[in-house]
Amino acid sequence: MKKIQIINGPNLNLLGKREPTVYGNTSFEAYLDKLRGLYPHCEIFYYQSNIEGELINKIHEVGFDFDGIVLNAGAYTHTSVALHDAIKAIETPVVEVHISNVHTREAFRHVSLISAACKGVILGFGMNSYRLALEAFQ
Ligand code: DQA
């Protein structure tokens, strides 16, 4: 069984309630059930934190024996050198994910400090972005 860790950063605990016109009406927990059904041969672990250091700790924890990390770092994407360094420090490949197409939004969302450390980036496909990232690890 492949072990995949999904990590969601700040404010993504509010998916389903937060700006539904941008992020949709589905909670991540409901979507996760669907994902686990689609990939029964993967063990999919889920972690969410609003705290940058906790996201880094989780990356370190899983980053040497999991098969993949799907990371939506939320707003830390645009600010965090520390997350970039954490991704560089581990062995497990990381796919960066965004629900929205950040390039159609405010200019401050057009820059990602983590993309260069990641294996690839998937963005703009709504919650489906997570499924497409999982597909990258099959
Ligand atoms: C996001 C895009 C970020 O700019 C934003 O800060 C988020 C969510 C997305 O999934 O579209 O929190 O990562």
Side-chain angles (χ1 to χ4, degrees), residues 21-105:
T21 53
V22 179
Y23 299 112
N25 298 301
T26 313
S27 71
F28 197 78
E29 288 67 21
Y31 183 70
L32 190 57
D33 281 348
K34 216 172 111 178
L35 267 187
R36 286 185 170 135
L38 288 172
Y39 295 94
H41 53 289
C42 279
E43 244 185 309
I44 302 175
F45 296 81
Y46 177 56
Y47 181 75
Q48 190 279 330
S49 176
N50 295 318
I51 299 166
E52 188 176 13
E54 288 184 354
L55 299 170
I56 291 166
N57 286 343
K58 179 54 76 175
I59 289 168
H60 292 175
E61 183 192 316
V62 302
F64 293 90
D65 56 19
F66 274 53
D67 298 291
I69 297 174
V70 174
L71 173 63
N72 185 346
Y76 290 139
T77 303
H78 317 298
T79 63
S80 181
V81 175
L83 271 175
H84 172 108
D85 287 350
I87 297 164
K88 290 281 266 200
I90 60 165
E91 288 168 1
T92 299
V94 177
V95 173
E96 175 185 349
V97 157
H98 300 284
I99 297 165
S100 63
N101 180 346
V102 287
H103 298 291
T104 64
R105 302 180 63 194

Side-chain angles (χ1 to χ4, degrees), residues 100-119:
S100 63
N101 180 346
V102 287
H103 298 291
T104 64
R105 302 180 63 194
E106 302 96 322
F108 62 81
R109 295 183 206 278
H110 298 179
V111 172
S112 168
L113 297 192
I114 66 170
S115 296
C118 291
K119 188 172 165 64

